[in-house]
């Protein structure tokens, strides 16, 4: 049994590291002001010590002292739409089909591959994963299937219908905004073969010609409070309630998207990421999504495909494991002979739409299109080098890319900003994530010296910046990061009915947690591109996937902010990476 409990870091260690993290972001007088507040909070017999004692007590009596709080605070209580703001999308390498026939053949294989993975999870045969020789917590895997987020007035909740035996036996298939219940197991409990699934998808296609159907899925893209109210209205009707429950209980959702306009190769990857992230708008494929669903696979007619996942339940690394399995499965030929048993017709899910729900839909359509038009996406493949080059320099590729991102941001905005990179806490039972925050003092020294200074000095400063970031990464992985600990102290005070401690009302804390750079590395063995929206209106999100000799990047920003520009940051980041390469390989 995996029982490594997450530690509560020492209070003074966290407070000291917090002050160090603030140094590159604050002028000296403000830093001094904050230092006094932090010292008072951490003094012997002070409020910090009292809250810390309660956290330690909480850790002794809980599965994981921070994960439930984190999911509640970061996801379930967050009221922003799941589309763009929360659900990450992963766009995968194009398959070699170009029409609906190929789309359905591939979709059948994809469904079979996901069911094959689920069988491993259910039977306990999924290989235990390790990081740096340490076993990792595998708890998230069973939760990926037959789960769904439910909107609520003040906060959402997640329901899990999956059981190892006798759990739901169907998936949801969406085409032309029409939802179908597709049973994927035979009566004896064996999964349908690929050819059986294919026959069923053909039947679904014949039942879902483009009609004037309302795109019900768009309701799930709304602000959570608005969707919560519409959800209550929708479920008053028995037919609607049955349809919604079948979607929520389904193992996962498969979206069969309609063709989208042809586009230049250069813009193709950005457009594909957008299609998977939000469906391209109310006149495109956004109605083929149910954003509350934990897992949604998207397959287009032009060979494009990917998946969208709901973050309260799923994290990047388990999703990467699932995708690796599916990609391996897709390489195998289908050897299974289909049994000659007639299968029941897939069941179309109906909705009764009264005038109130029609109004909810119209508002949701408008709001989603506004959000989509506001999002600027730029994906590119950096081909000058990949992680191999950085490893030869005896540096960490992830830390190296983080320094390049901060350098690019500084070049565009003439300042550094609070940036978070996501690290996994799966070395601990029930662990989710923590942040690695930058910039560090070492990064700032390097960035300031970069445009003037001797080459040797810059190389030395770069090595120090990369190594300092690697140390922070290590601390975070070991459960010694600062952000979840600070959040825990704040939530502990709230839980005890105390007023929010002054350390958290200080402007420095506001600045330090206004993440203008949301970054994430995709731990994938394949050329996939991950993508999500920024955390703040005047920020960026930067995802990257380093392969041996190239790196895939996706950058998003909001058009409504005049200062940010995804294209400009992308071009500057490309230049910055080349400049860093030049430090080590000068072209004479």
């Amino acid at each position: 049994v995996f029982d490594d409990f997450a530690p509560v870091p020492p209070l003074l260690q966290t407070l000291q590291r917090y002050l160090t993290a603030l140094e590159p972001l604050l002028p000296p007088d403000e830093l001094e002001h904050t230092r006094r507040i932090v010292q008072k909070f951490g003094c012997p017999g002070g409020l910090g010590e009292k809250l810390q004692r309660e956290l330690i007590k909480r850790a002794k009596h809980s599965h994981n002292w921070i994960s439930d709080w984190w999911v509640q605070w970061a996801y379930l209580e967050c009221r922003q739409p799941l589309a763009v703001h929360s659900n990450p999308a992963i766009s995968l390498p194009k398959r070699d089909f170009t029409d609906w026939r190929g789309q359905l053949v591939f979709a059948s294989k994809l469904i079979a591959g996901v069911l094959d993975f689920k069988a491993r999870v259910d039977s306990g045969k999924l290989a235990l994963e390790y990081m740096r020789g340490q076993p990792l917590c595998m708890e998230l895997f069973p939760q990926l299937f037959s789960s769904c987020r439910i909107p609520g007035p003040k906060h959402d909740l997640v329901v899990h219908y999956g059981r190892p035996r006798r759990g739901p036996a169907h998936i949801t298939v969406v085409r032309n905004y029409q939802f179908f219940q597709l049973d994927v197991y035979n009566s004896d409990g064996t999964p349908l073969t690929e050819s059986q699934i294919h026959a069923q998808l053909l039947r679904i296609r014949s039942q879902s010609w483009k009609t004037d159907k309302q795109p019900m899925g768009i309701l799930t893209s709304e602000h959570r409070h608005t969707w919560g109210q519409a959800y209550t209205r929708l479920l008053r009707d028995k037919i609607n309630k049955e349809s919604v429950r079948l979607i929520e209980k389904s193992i996962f959702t498969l979206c069969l998207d309609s063709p989208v306009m042809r586009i230049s190769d250069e813009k193709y990857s950005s457009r594909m990421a957008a299609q998977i992230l939000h469906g391209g708008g109310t006149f495109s494929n956004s109605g083929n999504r149910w954003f509350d669903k934990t897992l949604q696979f998207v397959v287009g007619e032009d060979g494009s495909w990917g998946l969208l996942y709901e973050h309260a339940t799923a994290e990047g690394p388990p999703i990467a494991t699932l995708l690796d399995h599916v990609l391996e499965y897709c390489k195998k030929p289908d050897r299974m002979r289909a049994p000659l048993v007639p299968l029941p017709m897939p069941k179309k899910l109906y909705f009764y739409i009264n005038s109130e729900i029609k109004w909810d839909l119209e508002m949701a359509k408008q709001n989603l299109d506004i959000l989509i038009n506001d999002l600027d996406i730029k994906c590119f493949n950096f081909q000058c080098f990949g992680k191999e080059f950085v490893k030869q320099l005896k540096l960490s590729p992830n830390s190296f890319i983080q320094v390049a991102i901060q350098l690019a941001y500084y070049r565009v905005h003439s300042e550094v900003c609070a940036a978070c990179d996501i690290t996994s806490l799966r070395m601990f039972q029930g662990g989710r994530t923590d942040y690695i925050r930058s910039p560090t003092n070492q990064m700032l020294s390097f960035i300031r010296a970069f445009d003037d200074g001797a080459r040797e000095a810059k190389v030395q400063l770069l090595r120090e910046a990369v190594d300092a970031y690697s140390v922070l990464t290590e601390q975070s992985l070991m459960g010694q990061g600062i952000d979840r600990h600070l959040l825990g102290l704040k939530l502990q005070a709230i839980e005890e009915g105390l007023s929010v401690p002054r350390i958290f009302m200080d402007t420095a804390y506001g600045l330090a947690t206004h993440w203008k750079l949301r970054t994430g590395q995709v731990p994938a063995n394949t050329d996939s591109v991950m993508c999500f929206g920024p955390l703040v209106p005047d920020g960026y999100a930067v995802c990257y996937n380093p392969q041996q000799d190239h790196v895939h990047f996706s950058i998003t920003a909001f058009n409504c902010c005049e200062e940010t520009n995804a294209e400009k940051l992308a071009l500057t980041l490309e230049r910055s990476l080349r400049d860093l390469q030049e430090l080590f390989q000068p072209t004479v």
Side-chain angles (χ1 to χ4, degrees):
V1 174
F2 185 86
D3 60 354
D4 212 348
F5 289 101
V8 179
L11 178 66
L12 295 179
Q13 169 186 294
T14 292
L15 295 179
Q16 189 45 58
R17 286 177 181 173
Y18 170 56
L19 286 170
T20 306
L22 288 173
E23 285 170 13
L25 296 171
L26 290 177
D29 55 330
E30 285 183 39
L31 192 64
E32 197 41 54
H33 170 76
T34 296
R35 197 183 301 277
R36 285 198 295 273
I37 293 174
V38 171
Q39 278 167 348
K40 189 174 178 205
F41 180 77
C43 70
L47 178 58
E49 263 191 12
K50 181 174 171 294
L51 296 173
Q52 175 78 354
R53 269 198 306 278
E54 292 304 316
L55 284 187
I56 291 167
K57 217 183 282 179
R58 181 182 165 92
K60 281 203 180 92
H61 300 291
S62 60
H63 187 60
N64 182 303
W65 67 273
I66 188 66
S67 285
D68 290 351
W69 262 354
W70 166 246
V71 170
Q72 190 68 21
W73 181 85
Y75 302 123
L76 302 180
E77 287 179 8
C78 184
R79 305 284 78 199
Q80 280 185 310
L82 295 187
V84 174
H85 292 289
S86 181
N87 292 7
I90 300 177
S91 170
L92 285 124
K94 207 171 172 186
R95 310 295 296 192
D96 59 354
F97 58 85
T98 53
D99 63 3
W100 67 266
R101 289 179 182 84
Q103 176 191 33
L104 297 191
V105 169
F106 173 66
S108 311
K109 203 163 192 72
L110 172 62
I111 293 168
V114 179
L115 293 175
D116 187 64
F117 183 79
K118 181 179 185 295
R120 284 207 183 176
V121 173
D122 290 347
S123 61
K125 291 200 177 93
L126 190 61
L128 187 61
E129 295 183 320
Y130 289 85
M131 183 161 52
R132 318 209 171 170
Q134 297 282 328
L136 298 179
C137 175
M138 304 290 279
E139 274 174 28
L140 281 186
F141 285 102
Q143 298 177 19
L144 297 177
F145 303 105
S146 298
S147 55
C148 195
R149 185 158 157 175
I150 310 283
K154 290 200 169 55
H155 62 84
D156 295 359
L157 66 127
V158 175
V159 282
H160 298 280
Y161 292 102
R163 310 270 175 280
R165 282 179 280 287
R166 300 207 53 104
H170 69 282
I171 66 169
T172 308
V173 178
V174 206
R175 181 173 179 267
N176 283 340
Y177 313 159
Q178 293 158 73
F179 290 77
F180 292 83
Q181 172 189 358
L182 171 59
D183 290 327
V184 286
Y185 294 96
N186 290 299
S187 50
D188 63 355
T190 55
L192 298 192
T193 63
E194 276 172 52
S195 55
Q196 282 179 307
I197 296 169
H198 183 246
Q200 293 294 68
L201 291 181
L202 284 170
R203 291 167 105 179
I204 285 176
R205 184 171 190 272
S206 69
Q207 283 191 74
S208 59
W209 295 113
K210 195 76 170 162
T211 58
D212 52 359
K213 286 284 182 278
Q214 283 289 349
M216 299 304 291
I218 287 184
L219 289 172
T220 66
S221 72
E222 264 285 22
H223 183 275
R224 301 308 291 170
H225 180 68
T226 312
W227 167 220
Q229 291 175 320
Y231 183 85
T232 309
R233 283 193 283 275
L234 188 65
L235 265 62
R236 282 189 197 131
D237 179 84
K238 202 163 125 256
I239 296 172
N240 294 345
K241 189 171 187 172
E242 190 187 341
S243 294
V244 169
R245 285 287 179 267
L246 283 166
I247 295 170
E248 289 168 352
K249 288 180 179 179
S250 64
I251 300 169
F252 59 88
T253 296
L254 173 78
C255 316
L256 294 171
D257 276 8
S258 299
V260 291
M261 267 169 51
R262 292 262 165 94
I263 198 163
S264 68
D265 286 355
E266 181 216 351
K267 290 188 174 155
Y268 184 80
S269 62
S270 303
R271 159 79 156 278
M272 260 4 287
Q275 273 292 322
I276 291 160
L277 186 64
H278 51 57
T282 57
F283 290 103
S284 189
N285 288 298
S286 296
N288 287 350
R289 306 282 182 273
W290 194 266
F291 289 101
D292 295 4
K293 199 74 192 127
T294 305
L295 277 184
Q296 298 190 88
F297 293 88
V298 179
V299 182
E301 284 190 14
D302 59 351
S304 60
W305 73 293
L307 96 153
L308 184 64
Y309 62 93
E310 198 287 300
H311 226 327
T313 306
E315 295 285 2
I319 293 288
T321 304
L322 161 65
L323 278 175
D324 282 345
H325 182 90
V326 169
L327 285 161
E328 279 307 307
Y329 187 92
C330 286
K331 290 177 187 165
K332 296 185 210 156
D334 177 20
R335 292 186 309 275
M336 295 287 290
R337 291 291 307 278
L340 295 169
V341 194
L343 292 166
M345 195 71 164
K347 180 183 170 193
K348 188 185 268 201
L349 306 183
Y350 288 97
F351 290 94
Y352 168 69
I353 300 170
N354 61 20
S355 57
E356 279 185 299
I357 292 162
K358 180 96 173 69
W359 172 253
D360 291 331
L361 267 165
E362 289 311 314
M363 295 313 292
K365 286 183 200 172
Q366 280 181 30
N367 291 333
L368 180 59
D369 283 338
I370 289 168
L371 176 58
I372 288 173
N373 288 328
D374 192 24
L375 186 74
D376 185 16
I377 297 188
K378 174 69 184 165
C379 299
F380 67 96
N381 184 1
F382 177 77
Q383 293 178 320
C384 298
F385 63 85
K387 54 187 174 187
E388 198 49 51
F389 166 72
V390 186
K391 282 178 181 168
Q392 282 168 4
L393 304 173
K394 304 214 167 3
L395 292 169
S396 144
N398 187 56
S399 305
F400 188 89
I401 291 169
Q402 285 287 336
V403 173
I405 292 170
Q406 280 284 352
L407 174 60
Y409 184 92
Y410 184 83
R411 282 172 158 181
V412 173
H413 295 282
S414 308
E415 60 176 16
V416 290
C417 69
C420 60
D421 178 15
I422 300 155
T423 177
S424 173
L425 291 181
R426 287 176 63 207
M427 283 193 190
F428 306 104
Q429 180 175 290
R432 293 294 294 257
T433 57
D434 202 346
Y435 288 153
I436 312 164
R437 49 164 62 242
S438 57
T440 58
N441 286 318
Q442 292 88 337
M443 254 188 217
L444 190 57
S445 305
F446 165 70
I447 288 167
R448 285 192 171 144
F450 194 79
D451 288 320
D452 43 32
R455 192 175 137 256
E456 282 73 25
K458 284 195 282 195
V459 167
Q460 184 53 36
L461 285 170
L462 174 61
R463 285 194 174 276
E464 284 169 16
V466 170
D467 290 344
Y469 194 84
S470 297
V471 168
L472 286 184
T473 304
E474 203 57 42
Q475 289 170 356
S476 231
L477 283 170
M478 294 300 163
Q480 302 295 318
I482 62 174
D483 279 281
R484 297 298 174 268
H485 187 199
L486 289 170
L487 176 69
L489 292 162
K490 179 181 172 179
L491 295 178
Q492 182 62 42
I494 292 168
E495 187 149 297
E496 290 181 29
L498 304 169
S499 55
V500 176
R502 211 174 140 208
I503 180 174
F504 303 116
M505 303 302 280
D506 179 28
T507 49
Y509 185 73
L511 178 78
T513 53
H514 185 79
W515 306 107
K516 285 192 183 181
L517 274 171
R518 172 191 193 185
T519 72
Q521 178 180 347
V522 189
N525 305 326
T526 173
D527 286 316
S528 53
V529 180
M530 188 158 157
C531 171
F532 40 59
L535 284 172
V536 295
D538 55 343
Y540 298 91
V542 183
C543 292
Y544 49 95
N545 177 357
Q547 297 295 311
Q548 292 311 323
D549 61 354
H550 59 277
V551 187
H552 289 281
F553 284 96
S554 82
I555 299 181
T556 58
F558 291 117
N559 292 321
C560 66
C561 175
E562 287 184 10
E563 286 79 55
T564 59
N565 182 313
E567 177 101 20
K568 192 172 182 189
L569 186 66
L571 291 169
T572 313
L573 178 55
E574 243 176 303
R575 194 179 94 227
S576 300
L577 285 162
R578 280 203 300 270
D579 289 348
L580 295 186
Q581 182 184 20
E582 182 123 319
L583 277 183
F584 295 96
Q585 295 181 336
T587 48
V588 182

